[in-house]
Amino acid sequence: QVHLVESGGGLVQAGGSLRLSCAASGRTFSNGDMGWFRQAPGKEREFVAVINRISITNYADSVKGRFTISRDNAKNSVYLQMNSLKPEDTAVYYCAARGTGWSIRSTRYEYWGQGTQVTVAS
């Protein structure tokens, strides 16, 4: 069974930073994509960032310049460094992964984590 487990969420003041981690098990994703999504109360889940097998990245416009996605294939993990956090970044953040054959711009993923809460206080 494939499992993705996020960690690193919490409460932070506006302007602060958090680093989210996601560890995958049950399958290696070294040849696939790993990404992050988020969902705020009353809103649809939205794309945040993705990194492919050769570390090409794509970001939502709302987080460009503030968030950085990275991966460690040896650990089968993906990370999201979040800087200059804003109250509108408050959401449950989900890790996602998929195998080969996807466009980096596709927002469809095969596997999802349980989510970790990020709350940014004003």
Side-chain angles (χ1 to χ4, degrees):
Q1 291 182 300
V2 175
H3 295 281
L4 277 64
V5 180
E6 303 97 332
S7 62
L11 175 65
V12 65
Q13 293 181 321
S17 298
L18 284 173
R19 186 172 188 257
L20 305 183
S21 298
C22 172
S25 61
R27 176 179 172 177
T28 61
F29 293 98
S30 60
N31 291 318
D33 300 340
M34 304 187 80
W36 291 93
F37 289 72
R38 66 187 183 186
Q39 187 168 23
K43 299 182 67 176
E44 293 185 333
R45 185 175 298 184
E46 65 176 346
F47 167 78
V48 175
V50 60
I51 184 166
N52 77 358
R53 73 188 203 282
I54 57 173
S55 294
I56 296 173
T57 59
N58 191 32
Y59 296 91
D61 287 343
S62 59
V63 307
K64 285 181 180 177
R66 299 189 298 121
F67 292 10
T68 302
I69 189 170
S70 61
R71 66 189 298 164
D72 185 340
N73 287 341
K75 297 180 179 179
N76 209 24
S77 297
V78 63
Y79 309 93
L80 186 68
Q81 178 66 46
M82 305 185 294
N83 298 326
S84 301
L85 283 162
K86 304 174 181 179
E88 51 262 45
D89 294 319
T90 295
V92 176
Y93 283 71
Y94 297 91
C95 175
R98 62 193 175 199
T100 61
W102 299 91
S103 166
I104 193 170
R105 294 190 176 274
S106 172
T107 56
R108 299 179 68 177
Y109 285 79
E110 297 178 276
Y111 305 102
W112 296 84
Q114 82 289 345
T116 185
Q117 177 71 46
V118 172
T119 302
V120 183
S122 61

